[in-house]
């Protein structure tokens, strides 16, 4: 019955109190079914943390240049807003670790402008700081990722 479904990770902090409103505004003004927020890493707590930050920032910068910001690389599962009608029809296979890419391809399958990136938002998060954290994150993705997104499209 909801108009929107917001998914946001527990370690994500909106910068200021208008970020969620900006996500909704982006969705409505673009008539999108899926919106992703702009993530901003907090300063690294170690050398590895700084390397991780720069790696993420380079990746995100490249993704923002690709296809006029309409691409799966900008869908971060940790900050997503889904239109309620779209969310009701989206069934994510449990064998996928990358729900953001799956939702992007599902949304844009019949409607090319179904995704919008809310570039004017800022959602703060902390990248990994230790080698152990990095390995744990990688192992978690490998264990849950048993199928490729393209298998569904």
């Amino acid at each position: 019955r909801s108009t929107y479904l917001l998914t946001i990770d527990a370690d994500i902090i909106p910068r200021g109190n208008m970020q969620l409103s900006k996500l909704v505004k982006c969705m409505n003004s673009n008539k999108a079914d899926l919106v992703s927020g702009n993530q901003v890493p907090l300063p690294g707590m170690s050398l590895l943390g700084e390397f991780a930050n720069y790696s993420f920032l380079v990746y995100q910068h490249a993704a923002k240049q690709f296809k006029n910001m309409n691409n799966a690389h900008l869908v971060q599962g940790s900050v997503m807003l889904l239109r309620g009608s779209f969310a009701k029809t989206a069934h994510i296979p449990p064998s996928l670790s990358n729900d953001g890419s799956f939702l992007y391809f599902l949304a844009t399958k019949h409607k090319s402008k179904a995704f919008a990136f809310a570039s004017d938002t800022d959602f703060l998060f902390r990248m990994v700081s230790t080698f152990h954290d990095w390995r744990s994150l990688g192992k978690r993705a490998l264990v849950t990722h048993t199928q490729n997104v393209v298998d569904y499209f």
Side-chain angles (χ1 to χ4, degrees):
R1 300 178 198 206
S2 297
T3 306
Y4 307 104
L5 172 66
L6 174 69
T7 66
I8 189 165
D9 284 2
D11 61 344
I12 298 290
I13 303 166
R15 185 184 299 190
N17 59 3
M18 297 302 296
Q19 304 309 308
L20 300 180
S21 297
K22 289 178 181 181
L23 286 175
V24 172
K25 181 180 178 185
C26 180
M27 175 170 278
N28 291 334
S29 64
N30 290 289
K31 296 183 175 83
D33 291 328
L34 174 64
V35 171
S36 185
N38 184 49
Q39 295 188 23
V40 179
L42 292 165
M45 296 172 41
S46 66
L47 182 60
L48 180 63
E50 284 299 310
F51 281 132
N53 280 355
Y54 286 113
S55 175
F56 174 81
L57 290 169
V58 167
Y59 176 82
Q60 186 183 54
H61 177 76
K64 287 179 180 178
Q65 309 309 308
F66 184 58
K67 290 182 67 179
N68 207 22
M69 292 194 294
N70 185 0
N71 64 79
H73 302 289
L74 287 173
V75 184
Q76 301 291 327
S78 50
V79 180
M80 291 188 302
L81 181 67
L82 290 77
R83 190 170 301 281
S85 57
F86 172 65
K88 289 174 190 158
T89 65
H91 301 287
I92 301 169
S95 58
L96 293 176
S97 64
N98 194 337
D99 54 346
S101 291
F102 179 82
L103 289 171
Y104 172 84
F105 291 116
L106 186 64
T108 59
K109 185 176 182 178
H110 301 292
K111 182 179 160 188
S112 64
K113 300 283 187 187
F115 169 72
F117 181 68
S119 60
D120 65 337
T121 59
D122 282 335
F123 290 90
L124 307 174
F125 74 105
R126 185 162 314 278
M127 292 292 289
V128 296
S129 293
T130 67
F131 185 70
H132 179 270
D133 292 344
W134 180 74
R135 281 196 65 218
S136 297
L137 187 65
K139 283 183 355 187
R140 184 180 75 195
L142 290 173
V143 167
T144 60
H145 188 79
T146 59
Q147 208 160 9
N148 199 328
V149 171
V150 297
D151 294 342
Y152 293 93
F153 299 97

